[in-house]
Amino acid sequence: MKTAARIGAVLSWRRTAPGPVVFVPTMGALHEGHAALIRKARRLAGTKGSVVVSIFVNPSQFGPKEDLSQYPRPFARDRVLCREEGADLLFHPAPAEMYARDASVMVRESSLATGLCGASRPGHFDGVCTVVAMLFHMVRPDTAVFGEKDWQQLAVIRRMVRDLGMPVKITGHPTVREEDGLALSSRNRLLTPEARRAAARIYQAMTAAAREGGSGEGRVARLRSGLLKDLAAIPGAVVDYAEILDEETLGSLKALKGGARARIFVAVRFGPVRLIDNLPVKPPR
Ligand code: AMP
């Protein structure tokens, strides 16, 4: 595995890299969820193709009061994981390598990015779209793999790629969870032991609502109030949002009808640590 910190090194690697090139962008502090994405990238690239992983804690997607400086950066461990999972190139630029000091162009998705995390983290998806567009220009992947854990991000990236005619295929990967259901996240390690135990109840609250919707309760307002009640009962948790939306348009739904593609979206804070998760609701046919 080659490691590159400079854009120029990526560009020259790319000129001779055997395709297909499959790309997994990350912010590092890699866990089994990221590892699953890299393994999927390896399968898609095959033995002949190339897998690129990037590790970049992107300042432009963090708000001024967010956890940019606290975000974990265990680079030596991350590099070992990338190598073991079969990456061919690890790109880990410094912020100054990516952004000119007077950078003044950004990419904005203005529909899917406005609700959920976009509402509670203003500018977040502008930062995500901009850095992903930049990385796509540098790596020029045939395919990029993103996790469904960040469902809204996946939807926004798909829209950006469609609307800007970017020649890259976007592939999703299901959410990887701990045994107790908590979605793996680099932020989980910042939870206190009590908060970590309590955080498992996010998944329990979502599965309870999904079960109810799956067994015939079609009134979204009812499902949502049950969900909110369960989340509010989690010790130490402050609910940022809890919504049941159309999973493609991220628009609101009144009722789950047959064929409705509904999904539960949740963001919960434990002190300074903000966790997000989502789960589909499949109404009976
Ligand atoms: P991050 O490092 O948090 O920016 O995540 C990098 C990529 O890994 C994104 O596409 C995430 O959606 C994905 N990812 C993070 N956690 C998980 C998880 N638990 N399961 C599946 N994918 C994940």
Side-chain angles (χ1 to χ4, degrees):
M1 185 183 77
K2 191 176 156 50
T3 302
R6 309 303 296 260
I7 294 166
V10 176
L11 298 180
S12 57
W13 174 87
R14 183 63 180 88
R15 275 191 279 277
T16 55
V21 173
V22 186
F23 179 37
V24 182
T26 82
M27 298 204 299
L30 303 179
H31 51 63
E32 186 49 35
H34 299 109
L37 266 58
I38 300 170
R39 285 196 291 275
K40 175 158 192 165
R42 187 70 267 168
R43 281 196 300 280
L44 292 171
T47 46
K48 296 213 176 75
S50 306
V51 171
V52 183
V53 177
S54 64
I55 293 180
F56 181 56
V57 185
N58 174 33
S60 77
Q61 70 189 66
F62 285 77
K65 294 196 190 108
E66 292 183 357
D67 58 349
L68 175 63
S69 62
Q70 269 76 50
Y71 202 86
R73 291 167 171 85
F75 182 68
R77 257 189 51 204
D78 286 350
R79 183 166 44 191
V80 171
L81 184 143
C82 290
R83 188 184 300 121
E84 287 179 354
E85 300 299 351
D88 298 298
L89 176 71
L90 171 57
F91 178 38
H92 66 110
E97 178 72 6
M98 292 293 278
Y99 293 110
R101 249 194 304 156
D102 57 350
S104 54
V105 177
M106 293 197 88
V107 180
R108 168 170 297 167
E109 195 287 330
S110 55
S111 169
L112 302 169
T114 54
L116 302 174
C117 289
S120 30
R121 304 181 69 187
H124 170 68
F125 287 113
D126 298 351
V128 170
C129 285
T130 302
V131 81
V132 171
M134 292 170 75
L135 291 166
F136 282 1
H137 285 130
M138 295 161 194
V139 175
R140 286 192 288 119
D142 297 288
T143 300
V145 185
F146 289 83
E148 291 183 355
K149 193 231 162 205
D150 301 277
W151 185 273
Q152 186 181 18
Q153 170 174 279
L154 177 58
V156 167
I157 297 291
R158 283 191 200 281
R159 181 65 63 89
M160 173 183 80
V161 163
R162 187 197 76 179
D163 289 358
L164 296 183
M166 295 179 166
V168 51
K169 182 170 180 249
I170 303 300
T171 298
H173 188 285
T175 302
V176 179
R177 299 181 178 283
E178 300 279 7
E179 241 167 64
D180 64 5
L182 178 64
L184 295 190
S185 164
S186 308
R187 292 188 170 97
N188 291 353
R189 68 188 70 178
L190 305 173
L191 294 168
T192 63
E194 302 79 59
R196 169 62 192 85
R197 271 194 299 280
R201 288 174 58 181
I202 299 171
Y203 183 64
Q204 291 166 14
M206 292 196 307
T207 45
R211 214 178 309 118
E212 238 193 286
S215 54
E217 175 56 76
R219 293 165 294 184
V220 168
R222 277 289 183 98
L223 294 172
R224 181 166 177 261
S225 63
L227 174 67
L228 278 166
K229 198 163 132 254
D230 287 353
L231 292 171
I234 303 176
V238 176
V239 180
D240 189 350
Y241 62 72
E243 303 285 350
I244 301 170
L245 304 174
D246 181 297
E247 68 175 14
E248 274 173 27
T249 63
L250 305 185
S252 58
L253 288 169
K254 278 210 162 63
L256 304 182
K257 300 196 193 81
R261 294 171 60 84
R263 189 167 280 266
I264 299 166
F265 296 90
V266 165
V268 170
R269 288 175 204 278
F270 289 90
V273 185
R274 183 172 175 280
L275 303 179
I276 60 170
D277 204 346
N278 67 86
L279 198 71
V281 189
K282 298 198 176 77
R285 286 175 176 271

